[in-house]
Amino acid sequence: MSHRTAEVKEVMQAVTDVRGNVTFKFEPFILHVQCQTLEDAQKLHSVAVSSGFRNSGITVGKKGKIIMAVRSTHSLEAPLAADGQVLVPDKYISYLTQIANCKLQENTARIHRFFDNFQQMIQTRTVPPKGHVPDLSYERTKIKCKTFQGCDSDQCPPRAGSRALENNVEELEECLTYLYQDPP
């Protein structure tokens, strides 16, 4: 498991070295936030949906605990080997790896949109309109996922595991802490 793009050679080697079962898996960003009010949860839900996390939702527990879950549906899971026997050709493993790398890039872009839309909501106390894309250079780039050729380094948002993404995650945590802290 890692939070970086995968190399086809590494995946091929991992599949051939295992004696048991192998499943290729990509899981997108998930964030759970406990909110003080339903209104706060609804605002955060609007930010999540406008950022591309369309599978987000709000849950209210039996004791009134309000949880807002930020999530999407662009996961990927495929069995590659069973009992040490590779089930698929190398070309398919290469194809899956390219798709997963593109999904990772899209996931990173959604995280950045979420962070930017969340900051805008905090600063202006208004929720960005649905489909809002902040005017930032990494948002204007085109990710070449439709061709499954991977992304050129100068055309993609920062890769997962990069310092730029880690900084945004830290800032997002600080913003969430600030927004949902008890008033003085």
Side-chain angles (χ1 to χ4, degrees):
M1 182 180 93
S2 70
H3 293 94
R4 62 176 180 79
T5 55
E7 297 294 329
V8 175
K9 289 180 183 179
E10 291 175 351
V11 176
M12 300 273 202
Q13 187 65 45
V15 171
T16 57
D17 287 349
V18 173
R19 296 186 184 268
N21 299 335
V22 176
T23 301
F24 189 95
K25 199 172 205 182
F26 168 79
E27 294 181 335
F29 174 76
I30 297 174
L31 174 70
H32 292 95
V33 179
Q34 183 175 348
C35 301
Q36 288 183 341
T37 68
L38 188 55
E39 182 183 2
D40 290 339
Q42 289 170 330
K43 286 179 184 177
L44 189 57
H45 182 265
S46 294
V47 168
V49 170
S50 70
S51 302
F53 294 102
R54 294 183 300 270
N55 197 33
S56 298
I58 300 169
T59 304
V60 180
K62 290 180 184 178
K63 295 182 181 179
K65 183 165 52 169
I66 302 166
I67 302 294
M68 171 39 215
V70 178
R71 53 184 185 248
S72 65
T73 59
H74 67 285
S75 61
L76 173 68
E77 185 172 352
L80 300 180
D83 299 323
Q85 297 295 316
V86 178
L87 302 172
V88 297
D90 291 353
K91 189 173 182 178
Y92 183 71
I93 294 172
S94 176
Y95 177 74
L96 279 180
T97 304
Q98 291 174 1
I99 290 173
N101 285 339
C102 286
K103 286 179 178 281
L104 181 65
Q105 296 299 321
E106 174 59 28
N107 192 58
T108 302
R110 287 181 188 189
I111 292 169
H112 283 285
R113 275 195 303 271
F114 178 76
F115 174 74
D116 295 329
N117 288 338
F118 183 76
Q119 278 190 320
Q120 179 183 344
M121 182 193 70
I122 289 173
Q123 292 167 357
T124 64
R125 293 291 180 188
T126 60
V127 177
K130 187 174 183 175
H132 170 75
V133 177
D135 186 22
L136 299 169
S137 61
Y138 58 79
E139 295 302 342
R140 290 191 304 260
T141 62
K142 299 272 188 206
I143 299 177
K144 299 179 180 178
C145 290
K146 290 183 181 176
T147 61
F148 301 114
Q149 298 300 314
C151 299
D152 297 327
S153 60
D154 62 337
Q155 292 186 327
C156 290
R159 296 184 186 280
S162 73
R163 191 68 201 140
L165 180 58
E166 290 171 14
N167 288 342
N168 273 359
V169 171
E170 290 168 8
E171 289 179 41
L172 177 59
E173 289 172 351
E174 288 174 17
C175 287
L176 287 169
T177 302
Y178 169 77
L179 182 64
Y180 294 107
Q181 68 185 351
D182 291 328

